[in-house]
Amino acid sequence: MTAPIHDREAATPALRAEQAADLDPPTVRLPRPTRDDRRTEIVDRLLDALEDLVARHRALAGNPAQVDLHAELIAAEVAHELAVTRSALRRAPHLRRTG
């Protein structure tokens, strides 16, 4: 029976963990969006929602007996989208220039 061989070049568990950490991709921190960026996102979301609403209701249109109900549904959805947008814009107000 031979004595166990100790490999002096073998990494210790702590050293292996350090090396593994070096292999992990670095954490990328994106810059915080500016107020203008946020407001642009809000407007883009509103426009996308309104385009979807128009497409959806054009596909549903066609029954003349339900035209009043259909118009009311469209008005309610537009009012909802406007309320959501106004609320989001209040949370990201436009800064006034001084000077």
Side-chain angles (χ1 to χ4, degrees):
M1 183 173 212
T2 60
I5 299 174
H6 180 68
D7 186 359
R8 293 175 194 230
E9 294 182 18
T12 63
L15 183 56
R16 281 189 219 124
E18 268 183 36
Q19 290 169 342
D22 289 340
L23 298 176
D24 289 340
T27 302
V28 176
R29 297 195 187 274
L30 299 175
R32 291 184 70 184
T34 64
R35 280 194 169 91
D36 285 340
D37 292 339
R38 181 67 184 120
R39 291 173 70 85
T40 299
E41 289 173 18
I42 292 167
V43 170
D44 286 344
R45 194 207 62 77
L46 172 65
L47 294 174
D48 290 343
L50 292 176
E51 285 176 347
D52 291 345
L53 185 145
V54 168
R56 189 170 57 252
H57 287 291
R58 281 188 176 154
L60 294 174
N63 187 346
Q66 295 182 346
V67 72
D68 291 339
L69 178 61
H70 193 71
E72 186 59 33
L73 181 60
I74 292 170
E77 287 191 53
V78 169
H80 170 74
E81 291 300 334
L82 291 173
V84 168
T85 301
R86 282 191 187 105
S87 176
L89 288 172
R90 283 188 201 110
R91 290 189 305 268
H94 188 67
L95 296 178
R96 294 184 185 171
R97 293 181 187 211
T98 59

